[in-house]
Amino acid sequence: MNPYAPFNSQVDWEVARWAKLCGPTSTAFSDLLSINGVHEKLGLSYKNSRELNKIIDKQLPGRPKFRREQIVVSGEAFDVFYRDVIECVKALYGDPDFADFLVFAPERHYADKEQTVQLFHDMHTGKWWWDTQKKLDQRKPGATIIPIIISSDKTQVTMFRNKTAYPVYLTIGNIPKEIRRKPSRRAHILLAYLPTTRLEHITNKASRRRTIANLYHACMGRILAPLEEAGLDGIVMKSGDGILRRGHPLFSCFVGDYPEQVLATGVKATECPKCDIPPDKLGSNATPFEMRNLDVVLDALAAIDHGDIEFVHACREAGIKPIIHPFWEPLPYTNIFQAITPDVLHQLYQGLIKHLLGWLAEAFGAAEIDARCRRLPPNHHIHLFMKGITSLSRISGTEHSQICRFLLGIIVDIRLPNQLAPSRLIRAVRGLLDFLYLAQYPCHSSETLTLLVEALDLFHDNKQIFVDLGIRNNFNLPKLHAARHYMSMIQTFGTTDNYNTEYTERLHIDLAKDAYRATNHKDEFVQMTQWLERKEKIVRHERYVMWRLHGSLIRHQPRPPNLSFARVQTLTKHPSVKSVPIQKLVTEYGATYFREALARYVAQLRHPHEATTRRRLEDLAATIHLPFRTLPAYHVVKWRSVDPQGHGDLCVTVDSAHVKPRRVATSQTGTDVPARFDTVLINDGTGRSVGIEGYRVGQIRVIFSIPQNSIPMMFPTTIQPPKNLAYVEWFTRFPPTPDSNHGMFKVSRVVQSGERVASIIPVANIHRSVHLIPKFGPAAPRQWTSSEVLEQCNTFFVNSYIDRHTFVTIR
């Protein structure tokens, strides 16, 4: 049987796939096929784009089709394009790709046998699922909850002309977050395009804002209306493995930035969408608050039956805007104020960190901060901003994330004006960065949640320094106050990577911007929805063909995510340079005492019981003869990810350390490429997966291997040396405790008699790369450069913010 049907052959299918997923415009594709002989020689079942579209539309199954409907608000009709929400839920729930991963019941996970330290990670470990399951079972036992996660966000689809789209996305909490957050797994579905009108014909601003809010809720209410009956009574749902359950699709989480949260909840701007804290107390960490009372709000909304004046007054008393039937009003087991989730991208990266960069530039001066950014050593995890960071405009969330990785290190010893002690400012920045990193843990325990609260307290305890410097008058920022809700939200819905707006921002590219570019920009939403349906059908058929040809390759082993560092170290199959003269290793690689270090290493390996003292080791090393003049050298060591969750994830490079001598300019390159010898964390044999005990910092100068034909001349047959070795220069051991203010460890180069101390070690002992931030002093020496700073400076701080693993380990 033909696995490519309805296409005739593999070529027929591959060309169709290319045309719809990677190919040119429809007209260009038709022109290609109209070239004499192309269609015949390839044996295609279609002669142009129109015929291909007909096959896709008529013969390929896909996700639910879009429908177009008019919503009338204030006497004006608006088009909304949407899919049947129940059919969308069924499409995700019944997708065979997810059948092995779906979660059907809440669970409690613990870190210890005594069950005292509870773990929170995926949505089913949170309190909301437990509480709602109990309520449902009291009314109708045997229910399977299907948590509906909705996100909406207006986005620009053109660089110019200000053309926007307003997509609404849907996913379900039964799919593990590790799958949901990957766009390639297609665990989100585009539910609707909302109207993007600005209603500029309404001149009164208050009236315009009210009409826009009512339009939003009227559209969302129409789209989500089927959830009312389905949530209460349940519907028979078939998962991808064919098992039938009574599913209750319940609206659980709303994912969006602050304007979207305000719009969805109906609260006033500058207020918290979750609680009743006064707007002038948002900056306080001590002011008590109560979560907004849904019953009071629903009673106020019911007052619409008693006339407009009473309705407006009731809504004002309840603390919301007078919205006519918000979309969440009839939905069962739904509390919109609880459903508002933390937003790491907009609240932290694009909110607090953005504010913090402005405050620091004002406190220390832009010139000094930029000077330090230009003099940081390179590292796999560090983006070097060679023009500084203070003059950047329209900084993305990714760029803010990159800046956070070195921000604390560059301000450690800058002086403040008016002789103010910088310790409070350092602690405030550290508190905010610690909160940012802790908030993104993929798995939280009751203990790490305490650390989260303590990090926020550290910022609040020291934030007065910004007032003393004249930079701020108050901290009444809704995004800062939102941080107070993170702990309870993680306990309610699981960790923040369950509902991050970063995922939907990425979906905009595939489901809004690319879709718009595929249209002729006239009545575009009809074309966008049609383009999207065809693309979904092709992707679905691609997975079907793969299954027919290869079967299912993924076997799922459910287990909670952890903070372990499960990586595989790799070197290239062949050396970067086949033979480097030893003298060149000394002069160009900087391995000054390479011969002596290698002789000591060989002596130690050959005489492990005799080399007990330094003097004896030197005597033994003096007898060692190296039977080669050149060695193969490797210029990079990499660490690749593994797939601990069993989700079939691809292995990617997650860390690397470079060991490259200077490359002189050629006629092609035009410029010299400076040398790069990275610093790494080295295991002395006693190091564990977390913590610094048993680890030491070193700078790699050479990675090499002993030629195979030389090994019998250097070692007896009973000894097999490691395949790959490294020459490293040592830094001092970690001090017992980090600095009390900035929390980083200080290390210096180990120098004896004016010379750097170095050793040969197995490459397998290198645990990971590590980033050192130079101790600049009050002003960064202007002669220092990024490529030379590891040679020009002697004292460094070990950067604990380059990734999550260093944040957990080097503390």
Side-chain angles (χ1 to χ4, degrees):
M1 187 179 168
N2 176 17
Y4 306 101
F7 300 97
N8 294 338
S9 64
Q10 182 178 356
V11 172
D12 196 25
W13 153 242
E14 291 286 355
V15 171
R17 180 190 163 281
W18 171 81
K20 288 300 170 189
L21 299 185
C22 345
T25 62
S26 296
T27 307
F29 181 62
S30 293
D31 290 347
L32 174 69
L33 297 191
S34 66
I35 296 172
N36 193 22
V38 169
H39 163 257
E40 292 79 9
K41 285 181 181 174
L42 291 176
L44 303 181
S45 57
Y46 40 87
K47 295 178 182 176
N48 49 46
S49 283
R50 190 169 41 79
E51 289 186 13
L52 173 58
N53 289 339
K54 201 171 178 181
I55 294 172
I56 295 170
D57 293 341
K58 297 265 179 78
Q59 299 185 54
L60 286 184
R63 285 179 166 175
K65 289 182 72 68
F66 281 91
R67 62 180 78 163
R68 181 180 192 168
E69 196 169 304
Q70 287 198 327
I71 303 287
V72 178
V73 172
S74 300
E76 193 173 346
F78 301 92
D79 285 337
V80 58
F81 294 80
Y82 70 99
R83 290 164 151 161
D84 184 318
V85 65
I86 299 297
E87 292 304 313
C88 287
V89 171
K90 285 181 176 178
L92 288 173
Y93 185 88
D95 194 319
D97 278 4
F98 306 140
D100 202 27
F101 307 111
L102 290 183
V103 176
F104 303 105
E107 296 174 4
R108 286 194 183 96
H109 292 183
Y110 295 92
D112 58 334
K113 289 180 181 177
E114 291 74 33
Q115 298 188 357
T116 57
V117 180
Q118 190 172 353
L119 297 177
F120 302 95
H121 47 93
D122 267 292
M123 199 167 174
H124 66 284
T125 62
K127 295 177 180 176
W128 175 86
W129 202 323
W130 277 101
D131 295 344
T132 312
Q133 189 75 53
K134 287 175 186 171
K135 290 176 192 171
L136 257 180
D137 284 347
Q138 284 173 358
R139 185 176 176 274
K140 214 168 184 181
T144 297
I145 291 178
I146 302 170
I148 306 295
I149 303 170
I150 295 288
S151 51
S152 65
D153 185 23
K154 194 178 284 189
T155 182
Q156 262 190 270
V157 292
T158 56
M159 291 291 284
F160 310 104
R161 296 196 305 119
N162 218 14
K163 193 76 180 175
T164 56
Y166 204 157
V168 179
Y169 305 107
L170 174 145
T171 186
I172 57 175
N174 310 82
I175 302 171
K177 60 180 184 172
E178 295 291 323
I179 294 175
R180 262 189 282 130
R181 70 183 189 184
K182 294 183 175 71
S184 60
R185 302 301 288 268
R186 300 175 68 252
H188 282 81
I189 194 164
L190 179 68
L191 180 61
Y193 286 123
L194 300 181
T196 57
T197 175
R198 290 192 184 85
L199 301 178
E200 286 169 349
H201 64 282
I202 302 177
T203 51
N204 182 286
K205 287 184 180 178
S207 177
R208 188 191 305 158
R209 282 197 300 268
R210 192 161 53 248
T211 307
I212 285 175
N214 282 324
L215 173 61
Y216 171 85
H217 283 276
C219 293
M220 289 292 285
R222 179 69 197 85
I223 295 162
L224 300 180
L227 293 180
E228 182 180 358
E229 187 181 338
L232 279 172
D233 301 331
I235 45 176
V236 176
M237 303 281 279
K238 183 193 283 189
S239 51
D241 52 9
I243 297 173
L244 299 175
R245 294 177 178 86
R246 193 183 80 244
H248 291 251
L250 302 177
F251 178 83
S252 61
C253 294
F254 181 84
V255 181
D257 58 13
Y258 182 69
E260 290 290 320
Q261 293 175 358
V262 167
L263 185 61
T265 53
V267 304
K268 293 171 184 146
T270 75
E271 290 187 356
C272 174
K274 294 184 71 67
C275 71
D276 63 358
I277 194 164
D280 61 348
K281 298 292 183 185
L282 289 170
S284 165
N285 202 32
T287 304
F289 58 79
E290 293 288 333
M291 301 308 286
R292 291 184 183 270
N293 190 320
L294 180 67
D295 293 332
V296 170
V297 171
L298 291 175
D299 289 344
L301 292 171
I304 194 168
D305 299 331
H306 306 306
D308 291 351
I309 296 173
E310 193 170 331
F311 175 58
V312 170
H313 179 72
C315 287
R316 189 184 299 123
E317 287 292 311
I320 61 162
K321 295 173 187 172
I323 296 168
I324 301 165
H325 299 306
F327 73 84
W328 38 264
E329 186 182 14
L331 299 182
Y333 304 102
T334 294
N335 182 340
I336 188 62
F337 306 113
Q338 183 188 48
I340 298 295
T341 53
D343 175 12
V344 170
L345 176 63
H346 295 100
Q347 288 170 351
L348 301 185
Y349 282 121
Q350 299 290 65
L352 299 185
I353 298 302
K354 184 179 178 180
H355 284 302
L356 183 64
L357 291 177
W359 302 342
L360 293 178
E362 218 174 314
F364 294 126
E368 183 59 30
I369 286 178
D370 289 345
R372 290 169 183 241
C373 290
R374 289 193 287 269
R375 288 161 178 80
L376 290 172
N379 177 273
H380 176 88
H381 302 276
I382 297 293
H383 177 93
L384 295 175
F385 292 86
M386 298 311 286
K387 293 183 179 179
I389 57 175
T390 59
S391 59
L392 296 174
S393 61
R394 299 189 68 179
I395 308 179
S396 67
T398 303
E399 287 169 326
H400 274 132
S401 169
Q402 291 162 345
I403 290 168
C404 287
R405 295 175 193 183
F406 58 76
L407 185 60
L408 184 61
I410 63 172
I411 64 166
V412 161
D413 44 10
I414 312 183
R415 286 183 182 151
L416 284 174
N418 305 325
Q419 303 301 310
L420 280 168
S423 54
R424 282 187 298 158
L425 191 146
I426 298 294
R427 285 198 296 268
V429 174
R430 178 188 168 191
L432 213 49
L433 288 176
D434 284 2
F435 181 86
L436 170 70
Y437 277 67
L438 286 160
Q440 296 177 83
Y441 272 20
C443 182
H444 266 289
S445 69
S446 23
E447 292 169 350
T448 56
L449 287 173
T450 305
L451 294 177
L452 185 76
V453 174
E454 288 172 357
L456 188 61
D457 288 343
L458 184 63
F459 170 77
H460 281 286
D461 293 345
N462 294 279
K463 68 187 177 190
Q464 183 63 28
I465 184 68
F466 295 109
V467 177
D468 295 348
L469 288 166
I471 295 169
R472 293 289 305 178
N473 295 324
N474 63 67
F475 292 89
N476 294 325
L477 306 167
K479 292 175 180 179
L480 176 59
H481 166 75
R484 292 183 69 183
H485 294 299
Y486 273 53
M487 179 178 173
S488 63
M489 285 294 92
I490 289 168
Q491 291 172 328
T492 304
F493 292 120
T495 47
T496 56
D497 52 353
N498 276 288
Y499 34 74
N500 196 340
T501 51
E502 273 185 58
Y503 313 149
T504 50
E505 292 283 341
R506 175 61 186 80
L507 292 173
H508 287 338
I509 297 171
D510 296 334
L511 306 183
K513 298 180 184 191
D514 286 351
Y516 180 78
R517 291 187 194 109
T519 70
N520 63 7
H521 306 166
K522 294 171 185 173
D523 198 15
E524 61 271 4
F525 287 107
V526 175
Q527 298 171 62
M528 287 165 72
T529 52
Q530 195 171 50
W531 177 87
L532 190 65
E533 285 172 3
R534 287 171 181 157
K535 186 178 177 182
E536 286 175 341
K537 287 181 175 184
I538 289 289
V539 172
R540 181 186 175 116
H541 192 64
E542 180 181 30
R543 283 165 27 224
Y544 168 76
V545 168
M546 289 287 288
W547 173 74
R548 283 291 307 274
L549 295 175
H550 307 293
S552 179
L553 302 175
I554 300 171
R555 290 289 174 267
H556 179 47
Q557 298 293 323
R559 59 176 77 92
N562 56 38
L563 299 169
S564 67
F565 191 60
R567 312 288 160 95
V568 176
Q569 188 188 75
T570 61
L571 284 167
T572 52
K573 186 177 181 181
H574 302 290
S576 308
V577 185
K578 284 185 179 177
S579 63
V580 184
I582 291 180
Q583 189 54 37
K584 200 173 180 182
L585 295 179
V586 174
T587 55
E588 294 188 16
Y589 286 74
T592 314
Y593 299 104
F594 183 83
R595 291 184 184 88
E596 295 83 346
L598 184 55
R600 280 198 300 270
Y601 179 76
V602 173
Q604 214 158 12
L605 222 54
R606 278 170 51 170
H607 310 283
H609 304 298
E610 288 185 53
T612 51
T613 65
R614 186 183 176 85
R615 181 59 190 267
R616 179 63 182 147
L617 179 60
E618 294 293 346
D619 291 343
L620 290 168
T623 66
I624 300 296
H625 168 67
L626 302 180
F628 44 75
R629 290 182 181 176
T630 64
L631 286 169
Y634 298 83
H635 285 175
V636 64
V637 55
K638 294 182 179 180
W639 287 266
R640 292 175 68 78
S641 63
V642 296
D643 180 21
Q645 298 297 108
H647 291 155
D649 299 334
L650 293 172
C651 290
V652 293
T653 300
V654 290
D655 194 11
S656 66
H658 293 261
V659 194
K660 298 176 181 176
R662 180 168 164 266
R663 238 183 22 242
V664 182
T666 63
S667 55
Q668 282 86 19
T669 58
T671 54
D672 286 2
V673 178
R676 178 172 167 184
F677 300 101
D678 284 356
T679 47
V680 290
L681 202 59
I682 298 164
N683 189 342
D684 66 8
T686 62
R688 290 173 291 187
S689 60
V690 175
I692 56 166
E693 197 176 329
Y695 289 98
R696 196 168 167 186
V697 176
Q699 183 182 19
I700 318 177
R701 285 290 177 177
V702 185
I703 295 176
F704 65 99
S705 56
I706 298 172
Q708 205 62 37
N709 57 2
S710 300
I711 291 175
M713 294 182 257
M714 297 172 67
F715 300 97
T717 53
T718 54
I719 295 173
Q720 186 62 37
K723 185 182 177 186
N724 301 111
L725 299 168
Y727 175 95
V728 297
E729 293 177 346
W730 293 106
F731 287 78
T732 51
R733 295 187 182 279
F734 286 103
T737 55
D739 182 89
S740 58
N741 288 324
H742 54 68
M744 291 187 288
F745 290 97
K746 187 193 287 187
V747 295
S748 307
R749 285 196 179 276
V750 178
V751 178
Q752 287 180 358
S753 307
E755 301 293 341
R756 295 176 181 176
V757 174
S759 306
I760 301 290
I761 62 164
V763 170
N765 286 10
I766 300 173
H767 186 53
R768 58 158 301 140
S769 76
V770 75
H771 188 237
L772 300 184
I773 295 180
K775 190 177 187 304
F776 289 106
R782 295 314 192 241
Q783 70 273 21
W784 288 3
T785 62
S786 173
S787 57
E788 296 286 333
V789 73
L790 289 173
E791 310 302 318
Q792 295 164 324
C793 178
N794 279 323
T795 306
F796 302 86
F797 299 108
V798 182
N799 188 351
S800 56
Y801 291 94
I802 59 172
D803 64 3
R804 191 182 292 133
H805 177 255
T806 51
F807 181 75
V808 173
T809 301
I810 308 176
R811 293 175 68 73

